[in-house]
């Protein structure tokens, strides 16, 4: 009997409701091609959940996630939710608790350049050709989850505080994970911190150094985050695996996304607990929402990561990735992937749904 793989589907807000169905289409194509049984259960999250039931992470949604094999998420948030009390905003009220509740301490963001997209990046071709970096971001600690508070000051102003904490345990588990990933790649690990200023970064660096002997087959270097942000643009090919804390990882991965041509290409996997969560690294893009313009490829590539990391379906994941490679090579683009230097005659501009359709076609053909 074939087993059933349960996938919780959380489209969320903005373009989330457009891109997630395209990734589901790709997963259904994979199921058909390989004879798997995927069961999709849709649930509300983010502003959509707030509008419907008054909370961005309803208990039913969390329960559906916890009882699934994996979660596919679109995007959350939008300007209409920015004035809500902090605990009801989609980011703080839904995404962060979801990461914490599912114990997703490890966030993988693979920045690789699909050959067809060499011209889509704003960075020179000779700098980015062949880029293939795996950024591993710690996801359940640091500033995001530290205490936050406001106080009044005697001069009538206010003082705001965000606490940045990391324990040896938290650092060690993410760094070990990164070493293991590096072992399966080019065996180079760059640990990013701000140890010249921050105490938490000094503990981070000491902890990484303490593990280096155990992973002596991996070449390890330490880099300050400001230098790393510069090196990513100057010479991105020097990097194989980057491991860093939550906030630095958030910032560096937006930067690194431009090495792939567009942030619309950057998938992510958040793992560590029993149920993994897969989402594009970009946001809900309210400016283009509802117009069939969004690039669904980051979400489709996130679905490939879901197959690989949650269901150990490597072949199936590769088929999705190859389909994306093919489609880009054949000149299909969403609007975010157009560049002035692209020769118009070879390029076929597609909407969100049409891009999903060609991906499905290629999956079935491969
Ligand atoms: C990301 C996003 C989130 C983050 C936001 C939406 C809270 O930017 O996943 O990178 O900062 O983690
Ligand atoms: Mg971010």
């Amino acid at each position: 009997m074939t087993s059933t793989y349960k996938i919780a589907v959380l489209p969320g807000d903005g373009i989330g409701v457009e891109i997630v169905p395209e990734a589901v289409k790709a997963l259904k194509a994979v199921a058909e091609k390989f004879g798997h049984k995927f069961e999709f259960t849709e649930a509300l999250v983010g502003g959509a959940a707030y509008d419907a039931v008054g909370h961005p992470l309803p208990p039913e949604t969390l329960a559906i996630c916890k009882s699934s094999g994996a979660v596919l998420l679109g995007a959350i948030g939008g300007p209409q939710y920015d004035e809500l009390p902090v605990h009801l905003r989609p980011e703080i009220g839904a995404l962060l608790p979801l990461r914490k509740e599912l114990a997703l301490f490890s966030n993988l963001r693979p920045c690789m350049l699909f050959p067809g997209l060499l011209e889509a990046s704003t960075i020179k071709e000779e700098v980015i050709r062949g880029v293939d970096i795996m950024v591993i971001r710690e996801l359940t600690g640091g500033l995001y989850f530290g205490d936050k508070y406001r106080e009044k000051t005697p001069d009538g102003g206010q003082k705001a505080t965000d606490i940045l904490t990391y324990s040896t345990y938290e650092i060690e588990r993410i760094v070990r994970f990164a070493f293991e990933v590096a072992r399966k790649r080019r065996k180079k690990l760059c640990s990013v911190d701000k140890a010249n200023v921050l105490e938490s970064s000094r503990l981070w660096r000491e902890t990484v150094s303490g593990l280096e002997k155990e992973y002596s087959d991996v070449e390890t270097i330490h880099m300050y985050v400001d230098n790393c942000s510069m090196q990513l643009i100057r010479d991105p090919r020097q990097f194989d695996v980057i491991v860093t804390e939550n906030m630095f990882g958030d910032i560096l991965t937006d930067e690194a996304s431009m090495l792939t041509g567009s942030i619309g290409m950057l998938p992510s996997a958040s793992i560590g607990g029993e149920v993994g969560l897969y989402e594009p690294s970009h946001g809900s893009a309210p400016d283009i929402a509802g117009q069939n313009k969004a690039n669904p490829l980051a979400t489709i590539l996130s679905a490939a990561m879901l197959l690989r990391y949650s269901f150990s379906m490597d072949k199936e994941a590769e088929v999705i990735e190859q389909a994306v490679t093919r489609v880009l090579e054949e000149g299909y683009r969403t609007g975010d992937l157009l560049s002035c230097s692209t020769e118009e005659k070879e390029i076929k501009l597609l909407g969100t749904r049409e891009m999903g359709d060609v991906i499905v076609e290629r999956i079935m053909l491969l």
Side-chain angles (χ1 to χ4, degrees):
M1 213 184 79
T2 44
S3 39
T4 301
Y5 294 88
K6 291 169 123 185
I7 303 175
V9 178
L10 279 49
D13 304 319
I15 58 169
V17 298
E18 299 170 79
I19 54 185
V20 164
E22 303 313 312
V24 169
K25 257 159 57 177
L27 287 168
K28 286 185 174 159
V30 165
E32 190 182 325
K33 189 178 177 78
F34 290 88
H36 294 306
K37 208 161 165 241
F38 296 149
E39 185 185 296
F40 300 96
T41 309
E42 203 167 302
L44 287 167
V45 76
Y50 173 78
D51 289 340
V53 297
H55 196 282
L57 184 61
E60 311 83 77
T61 297
L62 191 57
I64 289 172
C65 292
K66 285 187 170 171
S67 65
S68 299
V71 181
L72 180 68
L73 180 82
I76 56 153
Q80 67 273 47
Y81 308 110
D82 286 349
E83 301 309 319
L84 287 174
V86 175
H87 71 284
L88 292 176
R89 291 192 202 158
E91 294 83 358
I92 305 269
L95 191 58
L96 268 47
L98 203 50
R99 289 173 179 171
K100 197 73 168 182
E101 283 283 335
L102 299 177
L104 306 171
F105 67 86
S106 180
N107 180 229
L108 289 94
R109 298 190 169 179
C111 301
M112 56 171 284
L113 181 70
F114 286 88
L117 287 184
L118 208 48
E119 309 171 331
S121 175
T122 51
I123 303 170
K124 285 192 187 126
E125 292 185 20
E126 62 265 30
V127 175
I128 55 170
R129 181 170 291 141
V131 160
D132 180 6
I133 306 172
M134 178 64 89
V135 183
I136 298 178
R137 166 186 176 193
E138 201 291 329
L139 203 61
T140 51
L143 279 171
Y144 277 64
F145 292 92
D147 284 346
K148 310 176 188 317
Y149 47 86
R150 296 256 193 132
E151 292 155 285
K152 290 207 173 13
T153 54
D155 63 2
Q158 295 186 56
K159 195 164 101 180
T161 307
D162 290 281
I163 307 263
L164 168 50
T165 309
Y166 269 105
S167 66
T168 308
Y169 166 75
E170 288 175 297
I171 302 168
E172 210 179 295
R173 69 177 175 179
I174 188 75
V175 172
R176 275 188 188 283
F177 177 79
F179 270 119
E180 298 294 339
V181 172
R183 269 191 173 155
K184 295 196 195 111
R185 293 174 46 106
R186 302 191 300 280
K187 298 193 169 51
K188 282 174 70 177
L189 181 69
C190 174
S191 169
V192 175
D193 62 41
K194 188 68 184 170
N196 49 350
V197 177
L198 301 176
E199 200 53 44
S200 54
S201 277
R202 281 190 280 277
L203 179 62
W204 183 282
R205 193 172 278 225
E206 283 164 30
T207 309
V208 177
S209 300
L211 291 171
E212 273 175 54
K213 280 185 291 310
E214 236 183 276
Y215 297 91
S216 54
D217 53 322
V218 176
E219 179 199 322
T220 308
I221 60 161
H222 300 262
M223 201 178 269
Y224 295 139
V225 62
D226 47 350
N227 182 27
C228 181
S229 72
M230 182 271 281
Q231 296 294 342
L232 274 171
I233 302 301
R234 192 187 74 85
D235 175 21
R237 273 174 305 200
Q238 69 185 283
F239 296 106
D240 175 16
V241 177
I242 292 176
V243 64
T244 191
E245 63 97 62
N246 207 343
M247 182 79 168
F248 298 159
D250 177 45
I251 299 169
L252 291 178
T253 51
D254 262 33
E255 185 191 12
S257 75
M258 280 319 295
L259 304 169
T260 71
S262 160
I263 191 156
M265 291 304 299
L266 194 65
S268 89
S270 302
I271 57 180
E274 281 172 24
V275 182
L277 178 112
Y278 302 84
E279 57 176 324
S281 299
H282 59 70
S284 58
D287 54 323
I288 55 162
Q291 300 169 42
N292 195 37
K293 278 188 183 163
N295 181 352
L297 294 177
T299 318
I300 290 173
L301 290 167
S302 301
M305 294 185 88
L306 180 156
L307 295 176
R308 177 172 294 121
Y309 293 106
S310 282
F311 299 160
S312 300
M313 295 182 181
D314 287 353
K315 276 196 315 296
E316 292 82 340
E318 271 160 35
V319 163
I320 295 187
E321 287 158 358
Q322 277 168 22
V324 172
T325 305
R326 287 274 175 96
V327 159
L328 293 170
E329 274 169 4
E330 287 164 26
Y332 294 102
R333 298 283 186 275
T334 43
D336 58 309
L337 300 176
L338 296 180
S339 72
C340 340
S341 59
T342 307
E343 279 191 40
E344 271 171 42
K345 58 178 175 4
E346 298 163 8
I347 293 304
K348 297 149 210 142
L349 179 62
L350 299 181
T352 311
R353 280 188 298 276
E354 294 70 29
M355 181 57 101
D357 291 341
V358 289
I359 293 288
V360 166
E361 272 171 37
R362 292 306 170 283
I363 289 174
M364 297 315 288
L365 283 175
L366 275 164

